[in-house]
Amino acid sequence: MGWRVGVDSGGTFTDVCLFEEESGRIAVWKVSSTPDDPSRGIAGGVAEGMEQVGRAPGEIAYFGHGTTVATNALIQHRGVRTGLVTTDGFRDLLEIGRQKRPDLYDLQVDKPPVLVARELRLQVPERIRHDGTVETALDEQAVREAARALKAAGVQAIAICFLYSFVRPDHEATARRIIEEELPGIFLTTSHEIAPEFREYERLSTAVVNSYLGPVMRGYIKRLAERLAALGVTATPHLTQSNGGVIGFEAAAEMPVRMVLSGPSTGVVGAQAIGRLSGFPDLITFDMGGTSTDVALLQGGEPRLTGEAIVHGYPIKAPMLDIHTVGAGGGSIAFVDSGGLLKVGPRSCGADPGPVCYGRGNEEAAVTDANVVLGTLHPTHLLGGRMPIRRDLSVAAVERLAKQLGLGVMETAQGILSVVTANMAKAIRVISVQRGHDPRDYTLIAFGGAGPLHAARLAKELDIRRVLVPRNPGILCAMGLLLTDLRADFAATRLTALDAEALAPMETAFATLAATAERWFAQEHIAPDKRMIRRTVDMRYAGQNYELPVALPDGPFTAATLAHLAEGFAAAHRQMYGFIAEGEAVQLVTFRLEATGLVRKAELKPRPLQGPDATAALEATREVWFPEAGGVVAVPVYARDRLAPGNRIAGPAIVEQMDATTVILPGQDARVDAYDNLILEASA
């Protein structure tokens, strides 16, 4: 028995959640991130957090970590010099892509930089056909010469991607062996290992991104492991993947492309667990941090998983939760554009210098400054008193914007919130309305350091009737690390018509995937009774460009299996597109297997209801500017840690805690449920 620790390292703050296995005690801690080396902030946060609970780091029994290192390296193009070895005639595929414009009507749009320079994209004679037959044998000497040329060019990583290698990987495996002989220790990615699926460009892009980020993540993981060891942490550390599960550091270092949504994914996992306990399985997650906002939709308690996404302009074929991100956070900078209009983000002031109120030299007002000016955030400090701030600097910064706009200071500050709310509402419409879901049918679960601060107005914008604020919203991503299991995803593309002849190839494909999963279970030391398998098939109408995932039931493959897939595909197609094409041929495209290793998780326990009176938690009264109330009003401020289950609060009101602030609007009521969550709803 010991402590389970989850750490989420963001662009502004590093959040630490600590759970004692024996007593069920949960403690939280928050420190400023260290962008120059995130491992330093993490180690410091863990040491401080354990000190706060009076325990030594050596008592940590489990360590989980969500990181933005891979994401930030991709966004800022801080990966390593990378080489590419590909099929003769395909060196420019990485640059040509799909010939799609990211924004159809933007004549000035820029494509993201190509991650491998043309002189480092080398081609070798080889060709495998779509049916797995060899048209041109691999020229092994050409591979060896390409390896030597890339070595001379000083590359730190290499990606290998040959045509149809997902059908027959022999050529890529041979090329890997030769390159490892010529460049021992080089970070190397083969496309059939990282993304054994069809669509050549996306598979190529995934392999390149993995190699581009590989040495960065490998170095980061090595530094973090050393810092944790120096603290005395002996538990095997784990890292979150984009699919919401965790894997060991060693595996994560080889597959950084699967970590690009590492941080946000655990927030979805935490929201899933809390929504299930509170009786709200249909959720829209709203994770607003210092730099960005991440949103996702859960239907029936299950988040949507996608096998392919475009991350900051780069296609990636890897299993990931369907999370949409916008550049809207507490650190998003407000400015007046050339047309005289107020804009907010995506540029952020980050952790250092941070918002103007931090007093570290920034002079451009951020969303946090607007909240300080309005009074929704504490005027003298944040983080429960640990971080002093200066309201006068925020007022001066907003005043400069107000003069440009010809508005008052309060109206300008409220305008900043209105603009950022509109940006976030647009993101939620992408994952709801545009995919056939009515947001009014869902509960908005707000977390992240700034989520509860803006959730009430965001819900109002979208006509969402209920907002759920977890007990520790500012560190829910860190808590999610203590609520998730080990997980790996495996896939194989085998284009097959949905008919009686599909049973044999389907059975063969899943048998191969199951064998791979068994090897993974053994590597992760998962006991047989803790192993779970889930199967899905990506399906489409013949001629369609995109597939829809359909769950495959357990058991043997029979005619009933095919009927189930047909019904599931029709339902999924109607949900996504509003119709089904009767009589059209249906294809099975990619077979997927999700392997889960069940681990012990933090248990959130209910408390008995204490009645509606929240007077014991009343801490102060503060003047806050509420346009809904006609201007400045005296608002009660409650301490979250003194609220008891069953307590009720009438808006307008503010609820403060170390890791977040919750705003309750006029015309809203809030109640505390048995799990200490705040439930905001319109007054009766």
Side-chain angles (χ1 to χ4, degrees):
M1 306 296 283
W3 286 80
R4 300 179 69 82
V5 177
V7 180
D8 177 55
S9 177
T12 306
F13 289 106
T14 294
D15 306 327
V16 183
C17 183
L18 308 101
F19 171 77
E20 189 176 28
E21 293 180 331
E22 188 172 354
S23 66
R25 175 187 175 191
I26 293 177
V28 300
W29 196 246
K30 205 174 183 83
V31 297
S32 292
S33 294
T34 51
D36 60 309
D37 181 3
S39 67
R40 184 161 47 86
I42 292 167
V46 170
E48 291 181 24
M50 292 301 290
E51 183 181 351
Q52 291 300 310
V53 298
R55 293 291 186 269
E59 296 181 60
I60 295 175
Y62 171 86
F63 178 87
H65 171 38
T67 179
T68 56
V69 168
T71 314
N72 292 341
L74 188 60
I75 293 171
Q76 299 167 18
H77 304 111
R78 290 189 292 103
V80 301
R81 185 172 173 84
T82 303
L84 171 65
V85 178
T86 190
T87 303
D88 196 8
F90 284 78
R91 75 183 293 194
D92 292 323
L93 176 61
L94 189 66
E95 198 156 356
I96 296 169
R98 291 287 176 191
Q99 298 188 5
K100 289 181 179 178
R101 291 169 57 176
D103 295 287
L104 186 60
Y105 299 106
D106 186 350
L107 300 180
Q108 308 300 321
V109 68
D110 293 321
K111 292 178 69 175
V114 180
L115 299 182
V116 182
R118 193 169 194 270
E119 63 271 16
L120 300 178
R121 304 198 297 261
L122 306 184
Q123 47 197 356
V124 297
E126 74 85 36
R127 191 63 175 262
I128 292 172
R129 295 178 60 81
H130 69 282
D131 58 1
T133 58
V134 177
E135 181 173 302
T136 303
L138 175 66
D139 186 334
E140 297 187 15
Q141 183 57 34
V143 175
R144 198 170 296 279
E145 290 172 1
R148 291 170 180 171
L150 292 174
K151 181 178 182 179
V155 301
Q156 296 173 259
I158 296 174
I160 304 171
C161 183
F162 294 154
L163 200 64
Y164 289 109
S165 62
F166 65 91
V167 176
R168 184 169 179 169
D170 307 26
H171 286 185
E172 283 194 356
T174 301
R176 181 185 187 104
R177 174 182 56 78
I178 293 170
I179 292 174
E180 286 175 336
E181 291 173 1
E182 294 292 332
L183 289 85
I186 191 79
F187 191 96
L188 194 56
T189 303
T190 55
S191 72
H192 77 273
E193 291 179 302
I194 199 69
E197 302 177 39
F198 84 142
R199 293 204 172 96
E200 192 71 12
Y201 167 57
E202 287 76 11
R203 184 160 52 88
L204 170 62
S205 174
T206 304
V208 166
V209 170
N210 195 69
S211 283
Y212 180 74
L213 300 176
V216 175
M217 278 296 288
R218 185 184 278 176
Y220 167 70
I221 287 173
K222 182 176 182 292
R223 290 193 302 274
L224 178 56
E226 290 171 349
R227 290 186 187 276
L228 292 174
L231 284 178
V233 177
T234 58
T236 301
H238 292 83
L239 200 64
T240 317
Q241 301 176 90
S242 303
N243 62 10
V246 294
I247 55 174
F249 269 22
E250 187 175 331
E254 299 305 314
M255 296 189 294
V257 74
R258 296 197 174 189
M259 313 297 144
V260 291
L261 294 180
S262 171
S265 67
T266 49
V268 176
V269 172
Q272 180 184 26
I274 288 171
R276 187 184 299 119
L277 291 173
S278 300
F280 305 120
D282 296 329
L283 298 171
I284 291 176
T285 68
F286 169 48
D287 177 6
M288 184 177 181
T291 306
S292 62
T293 291
D294 305 300
V295 298
L297 184 141
L298 286 76
Q299 186 175 32
E302 294 297 327
R304 183 173 182 265
L305 190 72
T306 180
E308 182 180 318
I310 295 177
V311 181
H312 304 292
Y314 300 99
I316 290 176
K317 289 188 79 67
M320 58 185 74
L321 296 179
D322 189 8
I323 298 172
H324 187 64
T325 303
V326 291
S332 294
I333 292 173
F335 63 98
V336 179
D337 69 5
S338 58
L341 299 176
L342 179 64
K343 298 290 180 69
V344 181
R347 193 163 55 94
S348 173
C349 57
D352 190 8
V356 177
C357 61
Y358 285 15
R360 296 177 182 166
N362 176 36
E363 295 184 351
E364 297 179 280
V367 173
T368 295
D369 295 304
N371 279 293
V372 170
V373 169
L374 294 170
T376 47
L377 277 178
H378 201 286
T380 63
H381 62 259
L382 300 175
L383 299 184
R386 290 194 292 120
M387 177 181 283
I389 61 171
R390 289 184 55 183
R391 183 176 184 272
D392 60 317
L393 296 180
S394 293
V395 171
V398 174
E399 191 172 24
R400 287 191 288 272
L401 280 176
K403 288 178 180 177
Q404 289 180 265
L405 295 166
L407 297 173
V409 172
M410 291 299 186
E411 288 80 5
T412 300
Q414 185 60 46
I416 293 172
L417 299 194
S418 297
V419 172
V420 80
T421 298
N423 292 343
M424 296 182 295
K426 182 179 178 182
I428 287 179
R429 290 189 181 101
V430 168
I431 53 102
S432 59
V433 177
Q434 292 185 20
R435 294 176 187 169
H437 302 277
D438 188 339
R440 294 173 296 184
D441 296 335
Y442 292 78
T443 295
L444 185 71
I445 179 166
F447 52 100
L453 195 62
H454 299 87
R457 287 197 174 96
L458 178 59
K460 189 175 179 181
E461 176 84 7
L462 294 163
D463 289 330
I464 295 176
R465 293 182 289 274
R466 182 187 301 113
V467 177
L468 188 157
V469 181
R471 173 64 184 87
N472 299 109
I475 54 86
L476 188 66
C477 287
M479 181 177 287
L481 285 153
L482 307 182
L483 299 171
T484 190
D485 293 303
L486 291 169
R487 178 171 163 181
D489 292 86
F490 307 97
T493 294
R494 299 289 185 271
L495 194 59
T496 310
L498 180 62
D499 55 29
E501 295 182 3
L503 291 175
M506 188 189 311
E507 188 167 3
T508 300
F510 276 114
T512 302
L513 294 176
T516 306
E518 287 299 317
R519 289 194 293 272
W520 176 79
F521 281 133
Q523 290 169 2
E524 294 290 344
H525 308 292
I526 305 297
D529 63 336
K530 300 297 183 183
R531 300 176 181 182
M532 287 181 60
I533 294 292
R534 181 171 176 264
R535 304 177 301 189
T536 59
V537 182
D538 290 355
M539 301 174 63
R540 69 183 184 187
Y541 286 119
Q544 279 187 316
N545 277 336
Y546 299 98
E547 302 80 48
L548 295 172
V550 179
L552 186 69
D554 294 332
F557 299 94
T558 64
T561 305
L562 300 179
H564 176 90
L565 288 174
E567 293 171 5
F569 175 69
H573 200 277
R574 183 180 285 108
Q575 171 75 56
M576 177 65 75
Y577 300 113
F579 73 97
I580 58 174
E582 295 282 1
E584 288 292 324
V586 177
Q587 293 176 325
L588 310 178
V589 179
T590 300
F591 302 104
R592 301 186 186 277
L593 189 146
E594 173 190 303
T596 302
L598 302 178
V599 299
R600 181 167 182 174
K601 296 180 280 292
E603 296 180 21
L604 304 177
K605 299 178 180 178
R607 295 199 296 155
L609 302 182
Q610 301 294 317
D613 187 6
T615 305
L618 185 61
E619 193 165 67
T621 300
R622 187 160 76 229
E623 290 193 341
V624 180
W625 201 84
F626 274 112
E628 297 88 349
V632 176
V633 292
V635 171
V637 179
Y638 294 87
R640 181 76 185 265
D641 58 359
R642 297 208 300 269
L643 287 173
N647 285 179
R648 290 183 175 270
I649 300 171
I654 303 289
V655 179
E656 290 186 336
Q657 59 193 106
M658 185 276 289
D659 57 320
T661 297
T662 302
V663 172
I664 305 168
L665 296 177
Q668 280 185 330
D669 287 334
R671 61 180 173 87
V672 184
D673 74 2
Y675 291 92
D676 288 302
N677 301 307
L678 270 178
I679 313 295
L680 280 61
E681 295 177 300
S683 303

